[in-house]
Amino acid sequence: QVQLKESGPGLVQPSQTLSLTCTVSGFSLTSNSVHWVRQPPGKGLEWMGGIWGDGSTDYNSALKSRLSISRDTSKSQVFLKMNSLQTDDTAIYFCTRGWALDYWGQGVMVTVSS
Amino acid sequence: DVVLTQTPVSLSVTLGDQASISCRSSQSLEYSDGYTYLEWYLQKPGQSPQLLIYGVSNRFSGVPDRFIGSGSGTDFTLKISRVEPEDLGVYYCFQATHDPPFTFGSGTKLEIK
């Protein structure tokens, strides 16, 4: 069955770089896109960006200068890197599949704090 | 960027009654291929969002037929007939029609009276 699971550090210091991994199973990364969505505590959802089946990427323009999404198809993993983190980047980070965002990971809580 | 405006912000519904949520877009969501990339999600407390409706009116696998999506162009509606306790949570609309960024509505919180 389709599964996605996020992993990464729970705490990041301000100005540092966040690195998250989304490990998928039950589908191919070359046939499906994977997107990152985040949710600050008590707030709504924000689409961050995605990587398509052909390996091309799209980013939210508000984050584009700080964000990079890549993948390793041999390991069925998608990576998110975002630099210059600030406290308002504190959020739950989700990875999700396809343009319809049909399957979601459980999310990983990332706190930006010194 | 496309702005999706959801109303109401919250609603309180008696079990068994109908709930209706509106999602209005700042631009038409019909893509050049004729498809409309408008989806609805439910985020239950403490859980990840789950897809309910894709392409305006298509129920995702396992979604009860009490959930009905409709609309076109810039105006869309999610109706939940015969609300049940497990329907509580926050509902979001989402568009993937226009060039990124794709965008979510701000959410509608459904409470049970």
Side-chain angles (χ1 to χ4, degrees):
Chain A
Q1 69 277 30
V2 173
Q3 291 186 321
L4 302 93
K5 186 171 183 179
E6 306 87 349
S7 59
L11 180 65
V12 179
Q13 294 200 338
S15 80
Q16 297 302 300
T17 297
L18 171 66
S19 295
L20 297 176
T21 299
C22 175
T23 302
V24 311
S25 60
F27 67 96
S28 168
L29 291 178
T30 58
S31 303
N32 295 268
S33 58
V34 171
H35 302 260
W36 290 92
V37 173
R38 69 177 180 176
Q39 183 173 40
K43 296 191 177 180
L45 302 168
E46 178 185 33
W47 179 84
M48 300 179 70
I51 186 163
W52 300 93
D54 64 2
S56 62
T57 53
D58 281 310
Y59 300 108
N60 189 322
S61 51
L63 303 170
K64 190 170 185 176
S65 63
R66 301 194 289 138
L67 182 62
S68 174
I69 297 173
S70 60
R71 70 185 185 184
D72 184 334
T73 55
S74 67
K75 295 183 179 179
S76 295
Q77 292 180 324
V78 176
F79 309 105
L80 175 148
K81 286 192 192 310
M82 188 162 70
N83 58 33
S84 304
L85 254 63
Q86 300 302 319
T87 54
D88 59 2
D89 292 312
T90 293
I92 300 173
Y93 287 75
F94 299 98
C95 59
T96 174
R97 186 187 81 153
W99 57 263
L101 311 184
D102 56 4
Y103 290 91
W104 294 64
Q106 64 194 20
V108 59
M109 180 68 205
V110 175
T111 301
V112 182
S113 175
S114 55
Chain B
D1 299 355
V2 173
V3 176
L4 298 180
T5 302
Q6 278 185 244
T7 54
V9 172
S10 65
L11 72 164
S12 184
V13 179
T14 300
L15 291 176
D17 281 358
Q18 177 176 279
S20 182
I21 301 169
S22 170
C23 178
R24 183 162 291 177
S25 174
S26 60
Q27 300 178 41
S28 173
L29 297 184
E30 183 175 345
Y31 191 58
S32 55
D33 62 5
Y35 198 82
T36 300
Y37 296 84
L38 186 283
E39 284 69 53
W40 290 95
Y41 304 86
L42 165 61
Q43 187 174 30
K44 298 181 180 181
Q47 296 187 18
S48 304
Q50 57 188 82
L51 176 64
L52 297 174
I53 302 286
Y54 64 95
V56 178
S57 59
N58 303 286
R59 274 184 295 276
F60 187 54
S61 175
V63 175
D65 59 9
R66 303 183 290 104
F67 292 88
I68 300 170
S70 64
S72 63
T74 60
D75 290 324
F76 303 91
T77 301
L78 176 69
K79 284 187 167 58
I80 311 161
S81 61
R82 307 182 307 278
V83 168
E84 297 188 5
E86 60 265 30
D87 299 338
L88 75 88
V90 181
Y91 290 80
Y92 295 93
C93 56
F94 171 76
Q95 71 82 24
T97 290
H98 289 277
D99 284 347
F102 303 146
T103 48
F104 287 93
S106 53
T108 296
K109 186 173 184 178
L110 176 65
E111 298 173 322
I112 308 299
K113 278 183 187 174

